[in-house]
Amino acid sequence: MHQAVISGTGLYTPAYSISNEELVESFNTYVRAFNADHAEAIARGETDALSESSVAFIEKASGIKSRFVVDKAGILDPRRMMPRIPERSNDEWGILCEMAVAAAKDALQRAGRSAADIDGVIVACSNLQRAYPAVAIEVQAALGIHGFGFDMNVACSSATFGLQVAANAVQLGQARAVLVVDPEICTAHLNFRDRDSHFIFGDAATALIVERADLATSSRQFEILGTKLLTQFSNNIRNNFGFLNRAADADGLAADKLFVQEGRKVFKDVCPMVAELIAAHLHETGLAVSDVQRYWLHQANLNMNLLIVRKLLGRDAEPHEAPVILDTYANTSSAGSVIALHKYQDDLPSGAVGVLSSFGAGYSIGSVILRKR
Ligand SMILES: CC(C)(COP(=O)(O)OP(=O)(O)OC[C@H]1O[C@@H](n2cnc3c(N)ncnc32)[C@H](O)[C@@H]1OP(=O)(O)O)[C@@H](O)C(=O)NCCC(=O)NCCS
């Protein structure tokens, strides 16, 4: 068995950002127009009036202040309220591929590697743009990587699950290095007309180079001490979009064909599961909670992360112990914890232990214990 390391991380951040103020103004314009258009039906009690959203609620309930997006104008247009992403011809690289390649180039550069050093590509993300061919194979072609590529979807936990598969391949000698990329266009599956969730998501792509330790040369290496994954079925985060919609004569644009959640139930169910999984994983690895210098947690909700770390440490975390990126990125699904790792690693001394952890739909939870080399 070979030792596997993460030898480089990469990030692609879209060019546009939407503040809570801009998002709420667009949402409330839509609400006022809806209520005016349906005034008579609302007065007769046949239609429920819609309620306005609020910047103060969003920040207090989630910690989110803004989000990066691949398209701003389409989302903020109160008559559209979804990103505008024109279809591309089959001869052009797709938008997921393009984002993945940008993040991958950043990771390759930081790992001091080129396409020739990589033997496999895993695209691990929540929303894949087509059934086939796999986006990973397109990324492979765009970067000029030989070997294999395949796609994986474990919703918000796609990156940690992908990391385990990549680490296994490297440990078993099936690949010298594997590129794991997480291109997330979460705004395309978000219902911007739903007050409960219209503020939740943003877009981004991340990349990880998982490499054999004896071959790695980069100055930024993390040994993968172990991975532990858990899934438990739940309908509390769900999206019914899929290829069977057509055969069911279903409305492909109905609300359930977008992201839907019972946020409060998710919060209550998932926090204890994450804290227990991380604690058990540390214990099995011969480490104590006090040995961990950093938690790069999934970035969905600030209050969730504070609670998880409080459960683990028995006290409130210092900001540097569980860095936050969701204030400016919002929830970028599987990319979130990797963005935190990417942005908050350089200050750690050699030998420092950190935990990368994801949680989300499935439910799915991943814990990856890393030690800086
Ligand atoms: C989604 C989430 C931020 C909502 O926060 P919450 O505190 O649970 O809020 P609730 O949905 O219970 O709503 C509380 C109140 O605010 C209101 N509210 C909801 N959205 C609002 C908005 N945009 N603006 C103003 N008020 C709003 C609700 O109507 C409710 O009012 P009521 O008390 O009069 O009924 C939170 O539950 C969450 O993040 N959960 C975890 C979700 C998660 O991690 N999902 C993973 C996704 S991959």
Side-chain angles (χ1 to χ4, degrees), residues 24 27 51-58 60-64 126 155-156 189 194-201 236-237 259 261-268 270 298-304 331 333 359-361:
V24 166
F27 182 87
S51 301
E52 295 196 0
S53 182
S54 115
V55 171
F57 169 84
I58 294 171
K60 184 160 178 284
S62 69
I64 296 165
S126 297
C156 292
H189 80 128
D194 174 35
R195 177 173 173 258
D196 289 344
S197 63
H198 76 110
F199 53 88
I200 285 181
F201 287 110
N236 288 334
I237 313 172
F259 167 87
Q261 76 166 350
E262 295 276 354
R264 197 148 277 216
K265 287 188 189 159
V266 173
F267 197 114
K268 211 165 143 266
V270 167
H298 177 51
Q299 302 281 318
N301 180 301
L302 179 60
N303 302 322
M304 251 177 137
N331 183 345
S333 195
F359 31 93

Side-chain angles (χ1 to χ4, degrees), residues 215-230:
L215 301 178
T217 55
S218 99
S219 56
R220 294 184 177 95
Q221 290 181 37
F222 285 94
E223 259 177 282
I224 301 172
L225 297 186
T227 58
K228 191 174 174 73
L229 312 180
L230 178 75

Side-chain angles (χ1 to χ4, degrees), residues 115-188:
D117 303 311
I118 309 295
D119 293 329
V121 177
I122 299 174
V123 166
C125 64
S126 297
N127 291 283
L128 290 156
Q129 92 192 65
R130 59 171 180 263
Y132 41 82
V135 176
I137 306 174
E138 190 185 357
V139 171
Q140 216 192 324
L143 287 168
I145 291 172
H146 295 289
F148 62 88
F150 57 86
D151 295 346
M152 285 177 54
N153 176 359
V154 202
C156 292
S157 284
S158 298
T160 52
F161 280 55
L163 189 50
Q164 172 167 297
V165 175
N168 288 348
V170 168
Q171 283 159 358
L172 291 173
Q174 294 161 339
R176 292 165 300 159
V178 176
L179 164 68
V180 182
V181 254
D182 323 292
E184 294 284 10
I185 306 184
C186 300
T187 56

Side-chain angles (χ1 to χ4, degrees), residues 125 214 247 269:
C125 64
D214 59 324
D269 291 347

Side-chain angles (χ1 to χ4, degrees), residues 134-371:
V135 176
I137 306 174
E138 190 185 357
V139 171
Q140 216 192 324
L143 287 168
I145 291 172
H146 295 289
F148 62 88
F150 57 86
D151 295 346
M152 285 177 54
N153 176 359
V154 202
C156 292
S157 284
S158 298
T160 52
F161 280 55
L163 189 50
Q164 172 167 297
V165 175
N168 288 348
V170 168
Q171 283 159 358
L172 291 173
Q174 294 161 339
R176 292 165 300 159
V178 176
L179 164 68
V180 182
V181 254
D182 323 292
E184 294 284 10
I185 306 184
C186 300
T187 56
H189 80 128
L190 178 55
N191 183 352
F192 283 96
R193 294 191 173 89
D194 174 35
R195 177 173 173 258
D196 289 344
S197 63
H198 76 110
F199 53 88
I200 285 181
F201 287 110
D203 306 326
T206 51
L208 297 163
I209 307 292
V210 180
E211 195 175 355
R212 255 171 60 182
D214 59 324
L215 301 178
T217 55
S218 99
S219 56
R220 294 184 177 95
Q221 290 181 37
F222 285 94
E223 259 177 282
I224 301 172
L225 297 186
T227 58
K228 191 174 174 73
L229 312 180
L230 178 75
T231 49
Q232 182 182 299
F233 187 67
S234 168
N235 281 318
N236 288 334
I237 313 172
R238 192 162 171 128
N239 183 334
N240 285 330
F241 180 77
F243 79 103
L244 289 178
N245 296 157
R246 180 173 158 264
D249 298 325
D251 174 3
L253 297 176
D256 76 313
K257 308 299 182 302
L258 295 165
F259 167 87
V260 183
Q261 76 166 350
E262 295 276 354
R264 197 148 277 216
K265 287 188 189 159
V266 173
F267 197 114
K268 211 165 143 266
D269 291 347
V270 167
C271 290
M273 287 168 72
V274 176
E276 277 164 33
L277 185 87
I278 293 175
H281 191 197
L282 288 168
H283 182 72
E284 286 163 16
T285 314
L287 292 164
V289 170
S290 55
D291 294 324
V292 178
Q293 265 143 290
R294 187 143 300 163
Y295 291 93
W296 299 285
L297 297 181
H298 177 51
Q299 302 281 318
N301 180 301
L302 179 60
N303 302 322
M304 251 177 137
N305 289 12
L306 294 176
L307 180 59
I308 289 165
V309 184
R310 196 179 303 131
K311 278 179 186 289
L312 280 162
L313 300 180
R315 60 169 172 81
D316 288 337
E318 299 291 329
H320 66 86
E321 289 176 301
V324 176
I325 60 94
L326 64 84
D327 52 348
T328 51
Y329 280 81
N331 183 345
T332 53
S333 195
S334 69
S337 57
V338 183
I339 299 175
L341 169 65
H342 179 79
K343 286 187 174 278
Y344 293 95
Q345 56 172 260
D346 288 346
D347 62 312
L348 287 175
S350 171
V353 171
V355 176
L356 178 77
S357 178
S358 63
F359 31 93
Y363 297 130
S364 57
I365 306 175
S367 167
V368 181
I369 304 179
L370 300 173
R371 182 167 55 208

